[in-house]
């Protein structure tokens, strides 16, 4: 999904900006159900779990995380190579996806976040596995 949204020749700043938009969309979709503190807690847990493979996210994790704010992630990703920014973002989205599915189930996940995942789809939605 992210690779389609930013294009193959994207720089780290473009990846970071698109990641910020995705997380804001996730927040908008989930905050009415689990609250912004709930979204923030899942986001922070996802960052923590993703740090193992992508230590570049440590600044996003350690930064002051207010519900609904994802600027720390944008800053961290902007300082990486385009490939690392893309890989870290995809890994973070997959981790979040897995955590949320574990908590609420796949069917409810699909209903709540379908609009976020489908924003960039151009008919390939059936081929993609969420993030």
């Amino acid at each position: 999904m992210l690779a389609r949204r930013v294009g193959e020749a994207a720089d780290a700043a473009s990846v970071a900006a698109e990641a910020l938009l995705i997380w804001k969309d996730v927040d908008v979709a989930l905050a009415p159900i689990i609250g912004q503190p709930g979204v923030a807690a899942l986001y922070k847990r996802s960052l923590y779990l993703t740090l193992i493979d992508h230590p570049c996210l440590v600044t996003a994790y350690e930064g002051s995380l207010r519900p609904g704010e994802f600027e720390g992630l944008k800053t961290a990703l902007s300082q990486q190579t385009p490939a690392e920014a893309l890989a870290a973002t995809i890994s973070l989205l997959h981790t979040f996806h897995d955590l949320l599915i574990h908590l609420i189930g796949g069917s409810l996940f699909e209903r709540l976040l379908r609009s976020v995942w489908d924003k960039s789809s151009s008919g390939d939605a059936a081929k993609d596995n969420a993030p």
Side-chain angles (χ1 to χ4, degrees):
M1 169 181 73
L2 182 63
R4 276 195 313 257
R5 286 176 76 157
V6 297
E8 292 179 21
D11 60 2
S14 298
V15 172
E18 194 60 41
L20 179 70
L21 292 175
I22 290 169
W23 282 105
K24 286 183 177 187
D25 288 345
V26 167
D27 188 53
V28 165
L30 291 178
I33 291 97
I34 63 173
Q36 278 192 320
V39 176
L42 284 170
Y43 170 72
K44 190 153 186 160
R45 179 68 177 154
S46 298
L47 280 168
Y48 178 77
L49 294 171
T50 308
L51 286 174
I52 296 165
D53 295 323
H54 300 281
C56 66
L57 297 175
V58 73
T59 57
Y61 177 78
E62 291 176 346
S64 62
L65 182 64
R66 293 185 306 239
E69 184 179 309
F70 306 100
E71 289 294 328
L73 177 64
K74 182 179 177 187
T75 301
L77 294 173
S78 295
Q79 298 170 355
Q80 306 309 308
T81 66
E84 176 55 24
L86 189 60
T89 301
I90 290 170
S91 184
L92 181 60
L93 288 168
H94 278 288
T95 301
F96 185 85
H97 172 264
D98 293 347
L99 280 174
L100 195 55
I101 282 186
H102 180 73
L103 291 171
I104 66 171
S107 178
L108 183 55
F109 174 87
E110 285 297 319
R111 283 186 282 167
L112 294 174
L113 292 174
R114 180 174 309 180
S115 65
V116 174
W117 304 147
D118 288 347
K119 269 191 176 181
S120 65
S121 295
S122 58
D124 298 312
K127 295 180 189 176
D128 292 339
N129 289 330

